[in-house]
Amino acid sequence: MTPDSVQSLIDQLREEAEMDRPNDLTPDVGIVMGSDSDLATMAGGKGKRPGAYAALADELGFEEQTDYTDAPDARFTFETFVCSAHRTPELMYAYAETAADRGIDVIIAGAGGKSADLPNMTASIAYPLPVIGVPVQEKSVDSVIGMPQGAPITAVDAGKSFNAALSAAQILARQHDDLRDRLVSYHEDLQTEVGEVSRDLHELGTPGFKDEYWEREE
Ligand code: RP5
């Protein structure tokens, strides 16, 4: 017996798949995670490094879509759900099966624990939609990347959901020059930072650099 809270999500996903909305009104990226306890790793915050949310929203100008009938103004959008592979397999199945019809172009799926099956099962069900797996913990790496031949998944290092978001944007950027420009600009900013730090280290000298930079961090 599927509880109402899960069934209503499944029904909503299936109804949405029938809507045939124009692509610019549907999320481009779908983010799913096995538990809301994965959110700090998947989105960033709570002492964790910046995550997929930060990469998409803060660096690349995406907006999160929370209402299918009211798309955000931003051209590129993403949605976020919790789907447990083992506790709510029907929801995982409905999510992955409807993703393409709901306008999703790439899925980022994260799970933790030793049986982190959400990414690999989502990849199998959503195929040929690309799925980028995020092992939420080190011990999740093998189960996320360990797919048999013929069942592909792309994956990032443990906890690196930020990179998963950049990879998702790279896939979308093949069709969208605007997004390609944002990715290039993000990378140029990274280069600029390295150049500035290198110059400061060289010109201030190691003790002077420590005084200025390490003081700032404290
Ligand atoms: C947590 O349980 C993990 O972070 C994982 O993502 C989550 C979901 O696991 P299942 O409910 O699919 O077993 O420990």
Side-chain angles (χ1 to χ4, degrees):
M1 174 77 178
T2 308
D4 289 348
S5 66
V6 175
Q7 191 59 52
S8 66
L9 285 168
I10 294 172
D11 292 345
Q12 187 186 8
L13 291 168
R14 296 211 179 281
E15 279 163 26
E16 194 52 32
E18 298 291 318
M19 296 301 283
D20 208 19
R21 297 190 199 275
N23 209 258
D24 57 349
L25 297 182
T26 59
D28 303 286
V29 179
I31 300 178
V32 277
M33 61 200 83
S35 162
D36 64 322
S37 64
D38 301 331
L39 187 62
T41 299
M42 295 301 289
K46 281 199 160 180
K48 301 277 186 182
R49 72 179 95 216
Y53 181 92
L56 293 174
D58 302 339
E59 302 294 348
L60 298 175
F62 282 63
E63 280 185 55
E64 186 167 11
Q65 184 158 358
T66 57
D67 181 348
Y68 290 130
T69 63
D70 185 16
D73 291 335
R75 168 58 192 88
F76 299 105
T77 56
F78 62 97
E79 63 172 16
T80 316
F81 280 98
V82 169
C83 290
S84 160
H86 305 114
R87 289 169 292 151
T88 59
E90 296 94 343
L91 178 57
M92 172 190 68
Y93 202 95
Y95 185 85
E97 195 181 41
T98 60
D101 287 341
R102 292 186 299 103
I104 302 285
D105 289 312
V106 51
I107 296 174
I108 297 171
K114 284 178 83 173
S115 299
D117 292 318
L118 178 68
N120 55 53
M121 287 309 299
T122 299
S124 295
I125 300 161
Y127 183 89
L129 211 61
V131 174
I132 303 167
V134 181
V136 166
Q137 296 164 306
E138 289 286 344
K139 65 184 175 185
S140 321
V141 171
D142 284 353
S143 63
V144 170
I145 66 175
M147 294 281 272
Q149 183 170 324
I153 190 168
T154 299
V156 295
D157 193 10
K160 302 264 177 55
S161 70
F162 191 98
N163 282 358
L166 293 180
S167 298
Q170 284 179 292
I171 292 170
L172 295 172
R174 301 303 299 161
Q175 304 284 334
H176 301 282
D177 286 347
D178 178 28
L179 198 48
R180 179 192 172 279
D181 293 345
R182 293 186 208 179
L183 283 165
V184 170
S185 164
Y186 169 72
H187 197 247
E188 283 170 357
D189 289 347
L190 290 185
Q191 292 187 57
T192 300
E193 277 171 35
V194 174
E196 288 173 354
V197 162
S198 182
R199 176 164 293 283
D200 283 351
L201 176 57
H202 177 70
E203 292 182 355
L204 294 169
T206 300
F209 184 90
K210 282 182 180 175
D211 284 346
E212 184 156 332
Y213 276 74
W214 292 10
E215 291 278 311
R216 217 187 280 167
E217 285 168 15
E218 281 162 13

